[in-house]
Coordinates of all heavy atoms in Angstrom, one line a residue:
M1 N 4.0 5.0 11.7 CA 4.8 4.5 12.7 C 5.1 3.1 12.5 O 4.3 2.3 12.1 CB 4.2 4.7 14.1 CG 3.9 6.1 14.5 SD 5.4 6.9 14.9 CE 5.0 7.5 16.5
T2 N 6.3 2.7 12.8 CA 6.7 1.2 12.8 C 6.2 0.6 14.0 O 5.8 1.3 15.0 CB 8.2 1.1 12.7 OG1 8.8 1.5 14.0 CG2 8.9 1.8 11.6
P3 N 6.2 -0.8 14.1 CA 5.7 -1.4 15.3 C 6.5 -1.0 16.5 O 6.1 -1.2 17.7 CB 5.9 -2.9 15.0 CG 5.8 -3.0 13.5 CD 6.4 -1.7 13.0
H4 N 7.7 -0.5 16.3 CA 8.6 -0.1 17.4 C 8.5 1.4 17.8 O 9.2 1.9 18.6 CB 10.1 -0.4 17.0 CG 10.3 -1.8 16.6 ND1 10.1 -2.9 17.5 CD2 10.5 -2.3 15.4 CE1 10.3 -4.0 16.8 NE2 10.5 -3.7 15.6
G5 N 7.5 2.1 17.1 CA 7.2 3.5 17.5 C 8.0 4.5 16.8 O 8.0 5.7 17.1
T6 N 8.9 4.2 15.8 CA 9.6 5.2 15.1 C 8.9 5.7 13.9 O 8.1 5.0 13.3 CB 11.0 4.6 14.6 OG1 10.7 3.5 13.8 CG2 11.9 4.2 15.8
P7 N 9.0 7.0 13.6 CA 8.2 7.6 12.5 C 8.7 7.1 11.2 O 9.9 6.8 11.0 CB 8.4 9.1 12.7 CG 9.6 9.3 13.5 CD 9.7 8.0 14.3
L8 N 7.8 7.0 10.2 CA 8.2 6.6 8.9 C 8.0 7.7 7.9 O 7.2 8.6 8.1 CB 7.2 5.4 8.4 CG 7.4 4.1 9.1 CD1 6.3 3.1 8.6 CD2 8.8 3.5 8.7
D9 N 8.7 7.7 6.8 CA 8.5 8.6 5.7 C 7.1 8.4 5.2 O 6.6 7.3 5.3 CB 9.5 8.3 4.7 CG 9.4 9.2 3.5 OD1 8.5 8.9 2.6 OD2 10.1 10.2 3.4
A10 N 6.4 9.4 4.7 CA 5.0 9.2 4.2 C 4.9 8.2 3.1 O 3.9 7.7 2.8 CB 4.5 10.6 3.8
A11 N 6.0 8.0 2.4 CA 6.0 7.0 1.3 C 6.5 5.7 1.6 O 6.9 4.9 0.8 CB 6.8 7.6 0.1
T12 N 6.5 5.3 2.9 CA 7.0 4.0 3.4 C 6.0 3.5 4.4 O 5.5 4.3 5.2 CB 8.4 4.1 4.1 OG1 9.3 4.6 3.1 CG2 8.8 2.7 4.5
V13 N 5.7 2.2 4.3 CA 4.8 1.6 5.3 C 5.5 0.3 5.8 O 6.0 -0.5 5.0 CB 3.4 1.3 4.8 CG1 3.3 0.4 3.7 CG2 2.5 0.8 6.0
D14 N 5.7 0.1 7.1 CA 6.3 -1.0 7.7 C 5.2 -1.9 8.3 O 4.6 -1.4 9.3 CB 7.4 -0.7 8.7 CG 8.1 -1.9 9.2 OD1 7.6 -3.0 9.0 OD2 9.1 -1.7 9.9
L15 N 4.9 -3.0 7.7 CA 3.8 -3.8 8.2 C 4.1 -4.8 9.3 O 3.3 -5.5 9.8 CB 3.2 -4.6 7.0 CG 2.7 -3.7 5.8 CD1 2.3 -4.6 4.6 CD2 1.6 -2.8 6.2
G16 N 5.4 -4.8 9.6 CA 5.9 -5.7 10.7 C 5.6 -7.1 10.2 O 5.8 -7.5 9.1
D17 N 5.0 -7.9 11.1 CA 4.6 -9.3 10.7 C 3.2 -9.5 10.3 O 2.7 -10.6 10.1 CB 5.0 -10.3 11.9 CG 4.2 -10.0 13.2 OD1 3.5 -9.0 13.2 OD2 4.4 -10.8 14.1
L18 N 2.5 -8.4 10.2 CA 1.1 -8.4 9.7 C 1.0 -8.9 8.3 O 1.7 -8.4 7.4 CB 0.4 -7.0 9.8 CG -0.2 -6.6 11.1 CD1 -0.8 -5.2 10.9 CD2 -1.3 -7.5 11.5
G19 N 0.1 -9.8 8.0 CA -0.2 -10.1 6.6 C -1.4 -9.3 6.1 O -2.1 -8.7 6.9
L20 N -1.6 -9.3 4.8 CA -2.7 -8.5 4.3 C -4.1 -9.0 4.8 O -5.0 -8.2 5.0 CB -2.7 -8.5 2.7 CG -1.6 -7.7 2.1 CD1 -1.7 -7.8 0.6 CD2 -1.7 -6.3 2.6
E21 N -4.2 -10.3 5.0 CA -5.4 -10.8 5.6 C -5.6 -10.5 7.0 O -6.7 -10.6 7.6 CB -5.5 -12.4 5.3 CG -4.6 -13.2 6.2 CD -3.1 -13.1 5.9 OE1 -2.7 -12.6 4.8 OE2 -2.3 -13.6 6.7
G22 N -4.5 -10.0 7.7 CA -4.6 -9.7 9.1 C -4.7 -8.2 9.4 O -4.4 -7.8 10.5
G23 N -5.0 -7.4 8.4 CA -5.2 -6.0 8.6 C -4.2 -5.1 8.0 O -4.3 -3.9 8.0
A24 N -3.1 -5.7 7.4 CA -2.1 -4.8 6.8 C -2.6 -4.0 5.6 O -2.1 -3.0 5.3 CB -0.9 -5.7 6.3
R25 N -3.7 -4.5 5.0 CA -4.2 -3.8 3.8 C -4.8 -2.4 4.3 O -4.7 -1.5 3.5 CB -5.3 -4.6 3.1 CG -6.5 -4.8 3.9 CD -7.5 -5.7 3.1 NE -8.7 -6.0 3.9 CZ -8.7 -6.9 4.9 NH1 -7.6 -7.6 5.1 NH2 -9.8 -7.2 5.5
L26 N -5.2 -2.3 5.5 CA -5.7 -1.0 6.0 C -4.6 0.0 6.2 O -4.7 1.1 5.8 CB -6.4 -1.2 7.3 CG -7.6 -2.2 7.3 CD1 -8.2 -2.4 8.7 CD2 -8.7 -1.6 6.4
L27 N -3.4 -0.5 6.7 CA -2.3 0.3 6.8 C -1.7 0.8 5.4 O -1.4 1.9 5.2 CB -1.2 -0.4 7.6 CG -1.5 -0.7 9.0 CD1 -0.4 -1.6 9.6 CD2 -1.7 0.5 9.9
L28 N -1.7 -0.2 4.5 CA -1.3 0.1 3.2 C -2.2 1.1 2.5 O -1.8 2.0 1.8 CB -1.2 -1.2 2.4 CG -0.7 -1.1 0.9 CD1 0.7 -0.4 0.9 CD2 -0.6 -2.4 0.3
R29 N -3.5 0.9 2.6 CA -4.5 1.9 2.0 C -4.3 3.3 2.6 O -4.3 4.3 1.8 CB -5.9 1.4 2.3 CG -6.9 2.1 1.5 CD -8.3 1.5 1.5 NE -8.3 0.3 0.7 CZ -8.8 -0.9 1.0 NH1 -9.4 -1.0 2.2 NH2 -8.8 -1.9 0.2
R30 N -4.0 3.4 3.9 CA -3.8 4.7 4.5 C -2.5 5.3 3.9 O -2.5 6.5 3.6 CB -3.7 4.5 6.0 CG -3.4 5.9 6.7 CD -3.4 5.8 8.2 NE -4.7 5.4 8.7 CZ -4.9 5.2 9.9 NH1 -3.9 5.1 10.8 NH2 -6.2 4.9 10.3
A31 N -1.5 4.5 3.8 CA -0.2 5.0 3.2 C -0.4 5.5 1.7 O 0.1 6.5 1.3 CB 0.9 4.0 3.3
L32 N -1.2 4.7 1.0 CA -1.4 5.1 -0.4 C -2.3 6.4 -0.5 O -2.1 7.1 -1.5 CB -2.1 3.9 -1.2 CG -1.2 2.8 -1.5 CD1 -2.0 1.6 -1.9 CD2 -0.3 3.2 -2.6
D33 N -3.1 6.6 0.4 CA -3.9 7.8 0.5 C -3.1 9.1 0.6 O -3.5 10.2 0.3 CB -5.0 7.8 1.6 CG -6.2 6.9 1.3 OD1 -6.3 6.4 0.1 OD2 -6.9 6.5 2.2
R34 N -1.9 8.9 1.2 CA -1.0 10.0 1.4 C -0.1 10.4 0.2 O 0.6 11.4 0.3 CB -0.1 9.8 2.6 CG -0.9 9.8 3.9 CD 0.0 9.7 5.1 NE -0.1 8.4 5.6 CZ 0.8 7.7 6.2 NH1 2.0 8.1 6.3 NH2 0.5 6.5 6.7
V35 N -0.1 9.6 -0.9 CA 0.7 9.9 -2.0 C -0.2 10.2 -3.2 O -1.3 9.7 -3.3 CB 1.7 8.7 -2.4 CG1 2.7 8.5 -1.3 CG2 0.9 7.5 -2.7
P36 N 0.2 11.0 -4.1 CA -0.6 11.4 -5.3 C -0.7 10.2 -6.3 O 0.2 9.3 -6.2 CB 0.1 12.6 -5.9 CG 1.5 12.4 -5.5 CD 1.5 11.8 -4.1
A37 N -1.6 10.2 -7.2 CA -1.7 9.2 -8.3 C -0.3 9.2 -9.0 O 0.3 10.2 -9.3 CB -2.8 9.6 -9.3
G38 N 0.2 8.0 -9.2 CA 1.5 7.8 -9.8 C 2.6 7.8 -8.8 O 3.8 7.4 -9.1
G39 N 2.4 8.1 -7.5 CA 3.4 8.1 -6.5 C 3.5 6.6 -6.0 O 2.7 5.8 -6.2
E40 N 4.6 6.4 -5.3 CA 4.9 5.0 -4.8 C 5.0 5.0 -3.3 O 5.4 6.0 -2.7 CB 6.3 4.5 -5.4 CG 6.2 4.1 -6.8 CD 7.5 3.3 -7.2 OE1 8.5 3.4 -6.5 OE2 7.4 2.7 -8.2
V41 N 4.6 3.8 -2.8 CA 4.8 3.5 -1.4 C 5.7 2.3 -1.3 O 5.4 1.3 -1.9 CB 3.4 3.2 -0.7 CG1 3.6 2.7 0.7 CG2 2.6 4.5 -0.7
A42 N 6.8 2.5 -0.5 CA 7.7 1.3 -0.3 C 7.1 0.5 0.9 O 6.6 1.1 1.9 CB 9.1 1.8 0.1
V43 N 7.0 -0.8 0.7 CA 6.3 -1.7 1.7 C 7.4 -2.6 2.3 O 8.1 -3.4 1.6 CB 5.2 -2.5 1.0 CG1 4.5 -3.4 2.0 CG2 4.2 -1.6 0.3
A44 N 7.5 -2.6 3.6 CA 8.4 -3.5 4.3 C 7.5 -4.3 5.2 O 6.4 -4.0 5.6 CB 9.3 -2.7 5.2
G45 N 8.0 -5.5 5.5 CA 7.2 -6.4 6.3 C 7.9 -7.8 6.3 O 8.6 -8.2 5.4
S46 N 7.6 -8.6 7.3 CA 8.2 -9.9 7.5 C 7.3 -11.1 7.1 O 7.8 -12.2 7.2 CB 8.8 -10.1 8.9 OG 7.8 -10.0 9.8
D47 N 6.1 -10.8 6.8 CA 5.2 -11.9 6.5 C 5.7 -12.7 5.2 O 6.0 -12.0 4.2 CB 3.7 -11.4 6.2 CG 2.8 -12.5 5.8 OD1 2.9 -13.6 6.3 OD2 1.9 -12.2 4.9
P48 N 5.9 -14.0 5.3 CA 6.5 -14.7 4.2 C 5.7 -14.6 2.9 O 6.2 -14.7 1.8 CB 6.5 -16.2 4.7 CG 6.3 -16.1 6.1 CD 5.7 -14.8 6.4
A49 N 4.4 -14.5 3.0 CA 3.5 -14.4 1.8 C 3.2 -13.0 1.4 O 2.4 -12.7 0.5 CB 2.2 -15.1 2.1
L50 N 3.9 -12.0 1.9 CA 3.6 -10.6 1.7 C 3.6 -10.2 0.2 O 2.6 -9.7 -0.3 CB 4.6 -9.7 2.4 CG 4.4 -8.2 2.2 CD1 3.0 -7.7 2.7 CD2 5.5 -7.4 2.9
V51 N 4.6 -10.5 -0.5 CA 4.7 -10.1 -1.9 C 3.6 -10.8 -2.8 O 3.0 -10.2 -3.6 CB 6.1 -10.4 -2.5 CG1 6.1 -10.0 -4.0 CG2 7.1 -9.5 -1.8
V52 N 3.3 -12.1 -2.5 CA 2.3 -12.8 -3.3 C 0.9 -12.2 -3.0 O 0.2 -11.9 -3.9 CB 2.3 -14.3 -2.9 CG1 1.1 -15.0 -3.5 CG2 3.6 -14.9 -3.3
H53 N 0.6 -12.0 -1.7 CA -0.7 -11.4 -1.4 C -0.8 -9.9 -1.8 O -1.9 -9.5 -2.3 CB -1.0 -11.5 0.1 CG -1.2 -12.9 0.6 ND1 -1.1 -13.3 1.9 CD2 -1.4 -14.0 -0.1 CE1 -1.3 -14.6 2.0 NE2 -1.5 -15.0 0.8
L54 N 0.3 -9.2 -1.7 CA 0.3 -7.8 -2.1 C 0.1 -7.7 -3.7 O -0.7 -6.8 -4.1 CB 1.7 -7.2 -1.8 CG 1.9 -5.7 -2.0 CD1 0.8 -4.9 -1.2 CD2 3.3 -5.3 -1.6
T55 N 0.6 -8.6 -4.4 CA 0.4 -8.6 -5.9 C -1.1 -8.8 -6.2 O -1.6 -8.1 -7.0 CB 1.3 -9.7 -6.5 OG1 2.7 -9.4 -6.2 CG2 1.1 -9.7 -8.0
A56 N -1.7 -9.7 -5.6 CA -3.1 -10.0 -5.8 C -4.0 -8.8 -5.4 O -4.9 -8.4 -6.1 CB -3.6 -11.3 -5.1
W57 N -3.7 -8.2 -4.2 CA -4.4 -7.1 -3.7 C -4.3 -5.9 -4.6 O -5.3 -5.2 -4.9 CB -4.0 -6.8 -2.3 CG -4.7 -5.7 -1.6 CD1 -5.9 -5.8 -1.0 CD2 -4.4 -4.3 -1.6 NE1 -6.3 -4.5 -0.5 CE2 -5.4 -3.6 -0.9 CE3 -3.3 -3.6 -2.1 CZ2 -5.3 -2.2 -0.7 CZ3 -3.2 -2.2 -1.8 CH2 -4.2 -1.5 -1.1
C58 N -3.1 -5.6 -5.1 CA -2.9 -4.5 -6.0 C -3.6 -4.7 -7.3 O -4.2 -3.7 -7.8 CB -1.4 -4.3 -6.2 SG -0.5 -3.6 -4.8
R59 N -3.7 -5.9 -7.8 CA -4.4 -6.2 -9.0 C -5.9 -5.9 -8.8 O -6.5 -5.3 -9.7 CB -4.2 -7.6 -9.5 CG -4.8 -8.0 -10.8 CD -4.5 -9.4 -11.2 NE -3.1 -9.6 -11.3 CZ -2.5 -10.7 -10.7 NH1 -3.2 -11.6 -10.0 NH2 -1.2 -10.9 -10.7
R60 N -6.4 -6.3 -7.7 CA -7.8 -6.1 -7.4 C -8.1 -4.6 -7.2 O -9.2 -4.1 -7.6 CB -8.2 -6.9 -6.2 CG -9.7 -6.8 -5.9 CD -10.1 -7.7 -4.7 NE -9.5 -7.3 -3.5 CZ -8.6 -8.0 -2.8 NH1 -8.3 -9.2 -3.2 NH2 -8.1 -7.6 -1.7
E61 N -7.2 -3.9 -6.6 CA -7.4 -2.4 -6.3 C -7.0 -1.5 -7.4 O -7.3 -0.3 -7.4 CB -6.7 -2.1 -5.0 CG -7.1 -2.8 -3.8 CD -8.5 -2.4 -3.3 OE1 -8.8 -1.2 -3.3 OE2 -9.3 -3.3 -3.0
G62 N -6.4 -2.0 -8.5 CA -6.0 -1.2 -9.6 C -4.6 -0.6 -9.5 O -4.2 0.2 -10.3
H63 N -3.8 -0.9 -8.5 CA -2.5 -0.4 -8.3 C -1.5 -1.3 -9.0 O -1.8 -2.5 -9.3 CB -2.1 -0.3 -6.8 CG -3.1 0.5 -6.0 ND1 -3.4 1.8 -6.3 CD2 -3.9 0.2 -5.0 CE1 -4.3 2.3 -5.4 NE2 -4.6 1.3 -4.6
T64 N -0.3 -0.9 -9.2 CA 0.8 -1.8 -9.7 C 1.8 -2.0 -8.6 O 2.0 -1.2 -7.7 CB 1.4 -1.2 -10.9 OG1 2.0 0.1 -10.6 CG2 0.5 -1.1 -12.1
V65 N 2.4 -3.1 -8.6 CA 3.4 -3.5 -7.6 C 4.7 -4.0 -8.3 O 4.6 -4.7 -9.4 CB 2.9 -4.5 -6.6 CG1 2.5 -5.8 -7.3 CG2 3.8 -4.7 -5.5
R66 N 5.8 -3.8 -7.8 CA 7.0 -4.3 -8.3 C 7.9 -4.7 -7.1 O 7.9 -4.1 -6.0 CB 7.8 -3.4 -9.2 CG 8.3 -2.1 -8.6 CD 9.0 -1.2 -9.6 NE 9.3 0.0 -9.0 CZ 10.4 0.3 -8.4 NH1 11.4 -0.6 -8.3 NH2 10.7 1.5 -7.9
P67 N 8.6 -5.9 -7.2 CA 9.4 -6.3 -6.1 C 10.6 -5.3 -5.9 O 11.0 -4.7 -6.8 CB 10.0 -7.6 -6.6 CG 9.2 -8.1 -7.7 CD 8.6 -6.8 -8.3
A68 N 11.0 -5.1 -4.7 CA 12.1 -4.3 -4.3 C 13.4 -4.9 -4.8 O 13.5 -6.1 -4.9 CB 12.1 -4.0 -2.8
G69 N 14.4 -4.1 -5.1 CA 15.7 -4.6 -5.5 C 16.5 -5.2 -4.3 O 16.1 -4.9 -3.1
P70 N 17.5 -5.9 -4.5 CA 18.3 -6.5 -3.5 C 18.9 -5.5 -2.5 O 19.1 -5.8 -1.3 CB 19.4 -7.2 -4.2 CG 19.3 -7.0 -5.6 CD 18.1 -6.2 -5.9
G71 N 19.2 -4.3 -2.9 CA 19.7 -3.3 -2.0 C 18.7 -2.5 -1.2 O 19.0 -1.5 -0.5
D72 N 17.4 -2.8 -1.4 CA 16.3 -2.0 -0.8 C 15.9 -2.5 0.6 O 15.0 -2.0 1.2 CB 15.0 -2.1 -1.7 CG 15.1 -1.1 -2.8 OD1 16.0 -0.2 -2.8 OD2 14.3 -1.3 -3.8
A73 N 16.5 -3.6 1.1 CA 16.1 -4.2 2.4 C 16.0 -3.1 3.4 O 16.8 -2.2 3.4 CB 17.0 -5.3 2.8
P74 N 15.0 -3.1 4.3 CA 14.0 -4.1 4.5 C 12.7 -4.0 3.6 O 11.8 -4.7 3.8 CB 13.6 -3.9 6.0 CG 13.7 -2.4 6.1 CD 14.9 -2.0 5.2
V75 N 12.7 -3.0 2.7 CA 11.6 -2.9 1.7 C 11.5 -4.2 0.9 O 12.5 -4.6 0.4 CB 11.8 -1.6 0.9 CG1 10.7 -1.6 -0.2 CG2 11.7 -0.4 1.7
R76 N 10.3 -4.7 0.7 CA 10.1 -5.9 -0.1 C 9.4 -5.7 -1.4 O 9.5 -6.5 -2.3 CB 9.3 -6.9 0.8 CG 10.1 -7.2 2.1 CD 9.9 -8.5 2.7 NE 9.5 -9.6 1.9 CZ 8.6 -10.5 2.4 NH1 8.0 -10.3 3.5 NH2 8.3 -11.5 1.6
A77 N 8.7 -4.5 -1.5 CA 8.0 -4.2 -2.7 C 7.7 -2.7 -2.7 O 7.7 -2.1 -1.7 CB 6.7 -5.0 -2.8
R78 N 7.3 -2.3 -3.9 CA 6.9 -0.9 -4.1 C 5.6 -0.9 -4.8 O 5.4 -1.5 -5.8 CB 8.0 -0.1 -4.9 CG 9.3 0.0 -4.2 CD 10.3 0.9 -4.9 NE 11.5 0.9 -4.1 CZ 11.7 1.7 -3.1 NH1 10.8 2.5 -2.7 NH2 12.9 1.7 -2.4
V79 N 4.6 -0.1 -4.3 CA 3.3 -0.1 -4.8 C 3.1 1.3 -5.4 O 3.3 2.3 -4.8 CB 2.2 -0.4 -3.7 CG1 0.8 -0.2 -4.3 CG2 2.4 -1.7 -3.2
R80 N 2.6 1.3 -6.7 CA 2.4 2.6 -7.3 C 0.9 2.9 -7.2 O 0.0 2.1 -7.7 CB 2.8 2.6 -8.8 CG 2.5 3.9 -9.5 CD 3.1 3.9 -10.9 NE 4.5 3.7 -10.9 CZ 5.5 4.6 -10.9 NH1 5.1 5.9 -10.8 NH2 6.7 4.3 -10.9
Q81 N 0.5 4.1 -6.7 CA -0.8 4.6 -6.5 C -1.5 4.8 -7.9 O -0.9 5.6 -8.7 CB -0.8 5.8 -5.7 CG -2.1 6.7 -5.6 CD -3.2 6.0 -5.0 OE1 -3.9 5.2 -5.7 NE2 -3.5 6.3 -3.8
S82 N -2.6 4.2 -8.2 CA -3.2 4.3 -9.5 C -4.1 5.6 -9.6 O -4.3 6.1 -10.6 CB -4.1 3.1 -9.8 OG -5.2 3.1 -8.9
G83 N -4.6 6.0 -8.5 CA -5.6 7.1 -8.5 C -7.0 6.7 -8.8 O -7.9 7.5 -8.9
I84 N -7.2 5.4 -9.0 CA -8.6 4.9 -9.4 C -9.6 5.2 -8.3 O -10.7 5.7 -8.6 CB -8.5 3.4 -9.6 CG1 -7.8 3.2 -11.0 CG2 -9.9 2.8 -9.7 CD1 -7.6 1.7 -11.3
A85 N -9.2 5.1 -7.0 CA -10.2 5.3 -5.9 C -10.6 6.8 -5.9 O -11.8 7.1 -5.7 CB -9.6 4.9 -4.6
A86 N -9.7 7.7 -6.1 CA -10.0 9.1 -6.1 C -10.9 9.4 -7.3 O -11.8 10.2 -7.2 CB -8.7 10.0 -6.1
A87 N -10.6 8.9 -8.5 CA -11.4 9.1 -9.7 C -12.8 8.6 -9.5 O -13.7 9.2 -10.0 CB -10.7 8.5 -10.9
R88 N -12.9 7.5 -8.8 CA -14.2 6.9 -8.6 C -15.2 7.9 -7.9 O -16.4 7.9 -8.1 CB -14.1 5.6 -7.8 CG -15.3 4.8 -7.7 CD -15.1 3.5 -6.9 NE -14.0 2.8 -7.5 CZ -13.2 2.0 -6.8 NH1 -13.3 1.8 -5.5 NH2 -12.2 1.3 -7.4
W89 N -14.6 8.7 -7.0 CA -15.5 9.6 -6.2 C -15.5 11.0 -6.8 O -16.2 11.9 -6.2 CB -15.0 9.6 -4.8 CG -15.2 8.3 -4.1 CD1 -14.3 7.4 -3.9 CD2 -16.5 7.9 -3.6 NE1 -14.9 6.3 -3.2 CE2 -16.2 6.6 -3.1 CE3 -17.7 8.4 -3.5 CZ2 -17.2 5.8 -2.5 CZ3 -18.8 7.6 -3.0 CH2 -18.5 6.4 -2.4
A90 N -14.8 11.3 -7.8 CA -14.7 12.7 -8.4 C -16.1 13.1 -8.8 O -16.8 12.4 -9.5 CB -13.8 12.7 -9.6
G91 N -16.6 14.2 -8.3 CA -17.9 14.7 -8.7 C -19.1 14.1 -8.0 O -20.2 14.4 -8.2
A92 N -18.8 13.2 -7.0 CA -19.9 12.5 -6.3 C -20.8 13.4 -5.6 O -22.0 13.2 -5.5 CB -19.3 11.4 -5.4
E93 N -20.2 14.5 -5.0 CA -21.0 15.4 -4.2 C -22.0 16.2 -5.1 O -23.1 16.5 -4.6 CB -20.2 16.3 -3.3 CG -19.2 17.2 -4.1 CD -17.9 16.5 -4.5 OE1 -17.6 15.4 -4.0 OE2 -17.2 17.1 -5.3
R94 N -21.6 16.4 -6.3 CA -22.5 17.1 -7.2 C -23.7 16.2 -7.7 O -24.8 16.6 -7.8 CB -21.8 17.6 -8.4 CG -21.0 18.8 -8.1 CD -20.2 19.3 -9.3 NE -19.1 18.2 -9.4 CZ -18.2 18.2 -10.3 NH1 -18.1 19.0 -11.2 NH2 -17.3 17.3 -10.2
A95 N -23.3 14.9 -7.9 CA -24.3 14.0 -8.4 C -25.4 13.6 -7.3 O -26.5 13.3 -7.6 CB -23.7 12.7 -8.9
A96 N -25.0 13.7 -6.1 CA -25.8 13.3 -5.0 C -26.9 14.4 -4.7 O -27.9 14.1 -4.1 CB -25.0 13.1 -3.7
G97 N -26.7 15.6 -5.1 CA -27.5 16.7 -4.8 C -28.9 16.6 -5.3 O -29.9 16.9 -4.8

């Protein structure tokens, strides 16, 4: 949902004015969980530092990010799901036994 209560496509997240340091990373992580490895999430938001912080966060989390094109507004970036988090837990239930 957007801050205004309208539903979003599963591959889009609207962060409103939230910055990544203000909790937006939780919304982004939830959106990325809904797409398969290699899938993309379009990220919209008005935080002036969004793309800079998003780039650093994606590098740390193993995802890739690219700036949105000029015709993509209000989308500011696209994040590609790496699948690293899912791979990290693959087989964990067997190993714990």
Side-chain angles (χ1 to χ4, degrees):
M1 297 288 232
T2 67
H4 306 292
T6 57
L8 288 173
D9 181 277
T12 303
V13 63
D14 185 346
L15 304 175
D17 61 355
L18 272 179
L20 287 182
E21 73 287 347
R25 68 183 175 281
L26 301 173
L27 297 173
L28 181 56
R29 190 169 284 136
R30 181 179 289 175
L32 285 166
D33 285 346
R34 288 187 254 146
V35 298
E40 283 191 344
V41 171
V43 181
S46 60
D47 178 35
L50 177 62
V51 175
V52 171
H53 291 166
L54 187 59
T55 301
W57 183 83
C58 286
R59 186 177 304 130
R60 185 176 62 244
E61 297 291 316
H63 306 299
T64 56
V65 64
R66 63 183 174 90
D72 282 342
V75 172
R76 302 208 22 224
R78 297 188 179 276
V79 176
R80 182 174 302 267
Q81 165 66 278
S82 68
I84 289 175
R88 186 178 306 149
W89 291 102
E93 59 278 351
R94 285 176 286 181

